[in-house]
Amino acid sequence: MGNFPTQKQHVSYSEVKTWKECPYRHKLAYIDKIDLGEDSPYLDYGTLLHDQLERYLNTKTMDLDELESKLRAAWEEKGFDSEEYIQKQAAWRKYNGWKPKPHVYIDEWVSWARNSLEDIPEFLDSNFPNWKALSAEEQLYENIENYDLNFKGFIDAVIECDGPKGKRQRWIIDWKTANSGGWYRDKKRDFLTQAQIAAYKLFWRQKNGFGSREVKCGFVLLKRGAKKGKTCELLAVSSGPKMEERVEKLVKSMITSVRRGIFLKNRDSCLFCDYKDTPHCP
């Protein structure tokens, strides 16, 4: 089939999702390799929480003082509390017709992070009885059937715990940070949202020789600003054979479309696009 237009021998779920939302955005990001991404406090916050969660799965310990130090260092380095950054964000909201939003300073981010991570041990014990970690940040690089490409991804957590009738269950988990109320109903039910963890489950179980019904999957939301003791929420995703079939079809449709050079613009997907109103996509 020749080289894939991205010049990579794999696709990731974030790439598939980008294509589904807007094929032209996919072309700009993955084929033309135009990176307009800016520093984001949400990204740094999520990355540093993920690091501590990986540590906890591997060692049953966390270093919250280290986490706070790294958060404060990132905010200082990138100026997330600077007047320039605050005004830039306010101008962007005004330009898009959004309501003004109070700025959140580093002390509050630190408090949110500590509360979420301090809740994790009890949350895991309550939702996954007698759990043990099978892996943390496990890489997938699995062949896509009938295609000369692989599916690449990193699974945040694979755990095993007690299930019904004394049997042990395996769970594929993805950590997500969210606002204090968690996700809206529409996002919880959104196919593209659910398809990420379903894809991870599909390729992980195939890699390890498990049947579809032998592995469960879901998201764990770490809610910024939620009350202590309520910062973590499990969102299980039903991913049986039909869901897996839809996910596999989505991945293969993306590969076929990109190989054919079909890069249509989806005008309904412009609102949060980095390329919006730039020379790349005026």
Side-chain angles (χ1 to χ4, degrees), residues 170 202-212 214-215:
R170 286 146 295 276
L202 168 64
F203 288 101
W204 184 88
R205 72 167 187 78
Q206 289 179 348
K207 169 186 175 182
N208 291 280
F210 289 103
S212 179
E214 294 181 278
V215 183

Side-chain angles (χ1 to χ4, degrees), residues 106-272:
I106 182 59
D107 287 348
E108 196 159 1
W109 288 93
V110 169
S111 176
W112 292 344
R114 283 184 172 273
N115 286 345
S116 288
L117 292 181
E118 287 172 355
D119 281 351
I120 279 291
E122 183 178 347
F123 171 82
L124 290 176
D125 290 343
S126 297
N127 286 273
F128 307 102
N130 295 319
W131 69 273
K132 72 172 184 177
L134 300 181
S135 65
E137 287 297 311
E138 179 177 341
Q139 181 175 359
L140 293 172
Y141 203 78
E142 307 308 311
N143 178 253
I144 299 168
E145 187 180 10
N146 297 325
Y147 288 76
D148 59 343
L149 287 172
N150 295 309
F151 179 87
K152 181 179 180 179
F154 289 88
I155 301 176
D156 290 341
V158 183
I159 63 176
E160 185 181 87
C161 65
D162 289 346
K165 300 180 181 179
K167 293 184 178 180
R168 297 287 280 175
Q169 288 182 330
R170 286 146 295 276
W171 277 84
I172 307 299
I173 297 293
D174 194 78
W175 314 111
K176 297 290 189 187
T177 60
N179 62 30
S180 60
W183 287 349
Y184 293 112
R185 182 185 300 177
D186 287 349
K187 183 165 185 177
K188 291 179 181 179
R189 296 179 175 180
D190 176 55
F191 169 69
L192 283 183
T193 299
Q194 296 182 349
Q196 177 195 356
I197 198 68
Y200 288 174
K201 174 198 163 183
L202 168 64
F203 288 101
W204 184 88
R205 72 167 187 78
Q206 289 179 348
K207 169 186 175 182
N208 291 280
F210 289 103
S212 179
R213 302 187 188 281
E214 294 181 278
V215 183
K216 300 176 76 68
C217 62
F219 299 102
V220 172
L221 303 187
L222 307 170
K223 297 186 284 188
R224 302 180 301 270
K227 291 182 179 180
K228 190 76 187 306
K230 296 185 179 296
T231 63
C232 304
E233 179 183 359
L234 173 63
L235 296 179
V237 173
S238 178
S239 178
K242 289 185 178 180
M243 179 64 163
E244 290 186 351
E245 184 179 341
R246 288 184 68 191
V247 169
E248 194 168 23
K249 182 178 179 181
L250 171 66
V251 173
K252 291 180 176 180
S253 293
M254 174 266 183
I255 294 170
T256 300
S257 178
V258 171
R259 278 202 163 116
R260 290 176 177 173
I262 302 172
F263 304 116
L264 301 176
K265 292 184 182 181
N266 178 10
R267 301 290 184 182
D268 293 331
S269 186
C270 292
L271 186 58
F272 299 107

